[in-house]
Amino acid sequence: MIRHLLSGADLDPATATLILDTAAEMATVAGREVKKLPALRGRTVVNLFYEDSTRTRISFEAAAKRLSADVINFTVKGSSVSKGESLKDTALTLQAMGADAVVIRHPAAGAPHRLANWVDGSVINAGDGTHEHPTQALLDAYTMRARLGRIDGLHVAIVGDVLHSRVARSNMLLLTTLGAKVTLVGPPTLIPIQADRALAPGIEVSYDLDAVLPESDVVMMLRVQRERMAASYFPSAREYTRRYGMDGPRMARLPEHAIVMHPGPINRGMEIMPAVADSPRSTIVEQVTNGVSVRMAVLYLLLGGK
C-alpha cells in the first residue's frame, strides 16, 4: 500500500480497487447502531485546511472518528498562519505533536507534495489549488461502481469548468486507469491544453454537450469556479447555462441507465437545474455518503490497517 495519497497518478488499478473494495466493507458500518470501529484507536489525524470546506473536511472528520482516531481540526483563522507562519513550520509543529496522518487542503498547487517531505506520517491531498483532489475521484469511482456495477468500459463525460477543476484532473487519471473512456466537454476557454490532457492518454474533447449525451453512461457536471477565474471565460452565465447546463430535456437524451454526478457545492440554475439535481438519476447526495466510506478506507489502509 502507498504511504501518501497526493495524486490520482499514485493509484494503479490494484491499489485503487483495494481502496474501493475496502470502502464497500466500511459502508456496512453506517448501517450499524454503533457506527464505530476500533481500527485506528490511539492514532491522530490532523485536518489541515487552508481553504473553506464543508463536505471534504466534515467527511474526513467523520471517517477518522468512525475508525476511533483522535481528530485535530486546524483552520487558518485564529492560528499562527495568520501571523505569517510558513507551511513548513506548521508541519514541524504537527510532527512534534505526533500526527500520524495529515489531511491538507491548500490554495497552492503542490503544497501536499512539499508537506510529505517534512512529516513522518501519511499525507492525504484534500485539494491543492487547481491541481488535484484524489479522494473525490475515488468516491466518484465508488459511486459509479455502486450504481452501474463497473467502471471498466464506461463512457464518462466531464462537463464544464475543467480548466480550474482539481476534481476533473484526478478523475481523468483514475478513471482512465480503471478502464473508463473519458470525454471533456465545455467551452474551448475552459478545456485544458493538450499538455495537461497528455497526463491521461486517450482523453477526448468535445465542445458540444448535446452530441455527447446519447452515448454517455455518466455525466459529471462541474461547478463554475468563479473564485478561481481572473478573466471572462464565457460571455455570460445565461449563455453558459444555455450551452452547457444540465436540464430536463438534456437529461432525457441520456441512455436509460445513465447517471448525473456533481462533486458539489452546486450552482442550482447554472450548471445543473434543480429538477435534475433532485431527480433519481442524480447521485449528488450519494456521493457525500460514499465519501465517508471511501475516506475511512483511505485512512485505514494508509495507517497500516490489515
Side-chain angles (χ1 to χ4, degrees):
M1 184 60 189
I2 56 178
R3 181 185 167 199
H4 306 293
L5 180 54
L6 306 176
S7 165
D10 295 337
L11 301 167
D12 58 25
T15 303
T17 301
L18 174 62
I19 293 173
L20 297 181
D21 290 344
T22 305
E25 296 293 329
M26 294 297 180
T28 63
V29 177
R32 300 180 184 179
E33 184 175 349
V34 178
K35 300 178 176 63
K36 276 217 171 189
L37 295 172
L40 297 184
R41 183 177 295 158
R43 300 296 189 99
T44 300
V45 176
V46 177
N47 288 327
L48 181 61
F49 277 60
Y50 284 75
E51 285 187 327
D52 294 336
S53 171
T54 300
R55 289 161 185 79
T56 304
R57 184 182 62 79
I58 293 176
S59 181
F60 269 110
E61 183 176 357
K65 287 183 175 179
R66 287 187 182 179
L67 292 170
S68 301
D70 297 319
V71 180
I72 299 173
N73 288 316
F74 176 101
T75 54
V76 172
K77 187 176 180 180
S79 74
S80 295
V81 173
S82 61
K83 301 177 183 178
E85 183 174 71
S86 68
L87 175 61
K88 182 174 184 178
D89 288 328
T90 299
L92 294 176
T93 299
L94 298 175
Q95 177 67 39
M97 292 179 179
D100 296 294
V102 180
V103 180
I104 179 172
R105 170 168 287 200
H106 200 283
H113 297 73
R114 299 299 300 155
L115 183 65
N117 294 323
W118 298 326
V119 298
D120 294 333
S122 295
V123 175
I124 301 171
N125 182 0
D128 60 329
T130 58
H131 184 221
E132 283 209 52
H133 193 351
T135 59
Q136 179 69 45
L138 282 165
L139 74 88
D140 291 340
Y142 180 92
T143 303
M144 292 176 203
R145 195 174 76 163
R147 274 286 192 115
L148 302 175
R150 62 190 172 94
I151 297 172
D152 186 28
L154 291 180
H155 183 194
V156 181
I158 301 178
V159 183
D161 185 6
V162 180
L163 182 65
H164 299 94
S165 177
R166 51 197 173 201
V167 173
R169 281 180 175 79
S170 289
N171 266 295
M172 286 160 57
L173 290 165
L174 179 62
L175 292 176
T176 53
T177 295
L178 293 175
K181 173 186 175 183
V182 177
T183 301
L184 307 179
V185 185
T189 52
L190 292 178
I191 298 295
I193 59 175
Q194 185 63 42
D196 288 334
R197 301 201 301 270
L199 295 173
I203 298 290
E204 297 184 358
V205 172
S206 174
Y207 305 122
D208 185 351
L209 176 59
D210 293 309
V212 173
L213 293 176
E215 58 185 36
S216 298
D217 302 297
V218 179
V219 179
M220 184 181 297
M221 307 303 297
L222 300 174
R223 182 173 64 89
V224 175
Q225 302 189 48
R226 292 170 175 168
E227 74 276 12
R228 300 190 190 278
M229 292 184 179
S232 297
Y233 285 83
F234 45 83
S236 66
R238 182 177 179 182
E239 174 71 8
Y240 180 89
T241 300
R242 186 180 70 81
R243 294 201 61 187
Y244 299 104
M246 178 58 72
D247 55 17
R250 283 198 166 113
M251 186 168 63
R253 293 174 61 85
L254 291 169
E256 289 186 8
H257 66 274
I259 58 175
V260 178
M261 307 182 73
H262 195 300
I266 66 175
N267 293 316
R268 285 178 181 260
M270 189 169 181
E271 72 263 3
I272 189 167
M273 300 302 113
V276 177
D278 299 329
S279 75
R281 286 192 170 194
S282 168
T283 66
I284 296 171
V285 176
E286 286 174 53
Q287 287 170 261
V288 176
T289 301
N290 294 339
V292 177
S293 300
V294 166
R295 285 160 180 144
M296 286 176 71
V298 169
L299 289 169
Y300 175 74
L301 292 169
L302 285 183
L303 294 182
K306 300 293 183 185

